[in-house]
Amino acid sequence: MELIRIRNLAVGYPGEPPVVTGIELTVRDRDYIGVIGPNGGGKTTFIRTLTGALPPLAGKIEPASGNLRLGYLPQIKSIDKTFPLSVTDVVMSGLLSGKGLFGRYGRNERERAKKLLDEIGVGRLAGRAVGELSGGELQRVLLCRALIADPQLLILDEPTTFVDNKFEKELYELLAELNRRMAIVMVSHDLGTISRYVKSIVCINRCFHYHPSNIISAEQLREYDCPIQLISHGPVPHTVLSQHQGCACCDRPKQETR
Ligand SMILES: Nc1ncnc2c1ncn2[C@@H]1O[C@H](COP(=O)(O)OP(=O)(O)OP(=O)(O)O)[C@@H](O)[C@H]1O
Ligand SMILES: [Mg+2]
């Protein structure tokens, strides 16, 4: 089943030249798309447009993201950590459909939030203020927030930046489990690890490339100027994909694509 169809989309900020243009992507049930690209390439701008937080500069996202149950874990630098909310409130804000951030929630919702926090290993933080949390704790709390509405599409923008190795591994295993019933779009710089789990890859570096597989060559990464280390997994060979054909961005000298 198609969840989202994106046609000829341009993303960016009003009054400024587009950050990424020519985006064509269809997200289907149980897809698992890894999004890679260099700093400032436009990954977060694309993700925010996908969630409806930014309006498209051109083109279309169908159906409108409002029609879809969507869970979103934002890149952590964009969170205002002084926000005077408790951990439980933040998790429950993932349920807000018309309730507003300070809306009233019932006991069931509170219990559900607590159960999720326990499952993710941060139940002891339930009563704390989010502003007091470490980066890794906040990231886990925001994952609970993204999951509480049981999304059809889970969007994660660099979910492992602050977490330790142990939780990182647990997170990828949890996502593989969740992918049995929801589509996932995940931004990460750690292609070596995620390529084990994702089913397809999107490269965003001012232009947009979709690869319908989880295998990408070191040569291609260099071409996209992606600061990503390619790690091979035991005996699994890496297929070398051919160059993207007919892409104006790729044919331009590198400095112009920045
Ligand atoms: N609110 C904003 N207004 C104007 N320009 C912005 C805004 N936010 C980001 N940008 C610019 O848009 C471009 C793309 O930024 P974006 O955050 O999408 O990159 P990214 O690929 O997510 O990078 P990173 O890997 O560092 O997270 C950058 O040049 C950035 O400076
Ligand atoms: Mg980003």
Side-chain angles (χ1 to χ4, degrees), residues 13 16 19 37-45 75 77 158 189 206:
Y13 302 90
E16 293 184 31
V19 175
N39 295 135
K43 301 180 297 298
T44 297
T45 307
Q75 193 170 4
K77 67 181 179 193
E158 301 200 31
H189 288 287
R206 300 289 167 148

Side-chain angles (χ1 to χ4, degrees), residues 2 28 31 44 57 72 78-79 89 128 142 147 155 164 169 175 177 179 187 197 228-229 244:
E2 278 187 15
R28 297 186 174 80
D31 271 356
T44 297
L57 292 187
Y72 173 40
S78 64
I79 298 289
D89 288 335
R128 297 260 300 272
L142 294 178
L147 288 175
I155 300 177
D164 56 39
K169 192 160 177 291
L175 293 177
E177 181 70 32
N179 185 227
V187 177
Y197 297 101
I228 291 159
Q229 239 187 339
H244 294 291

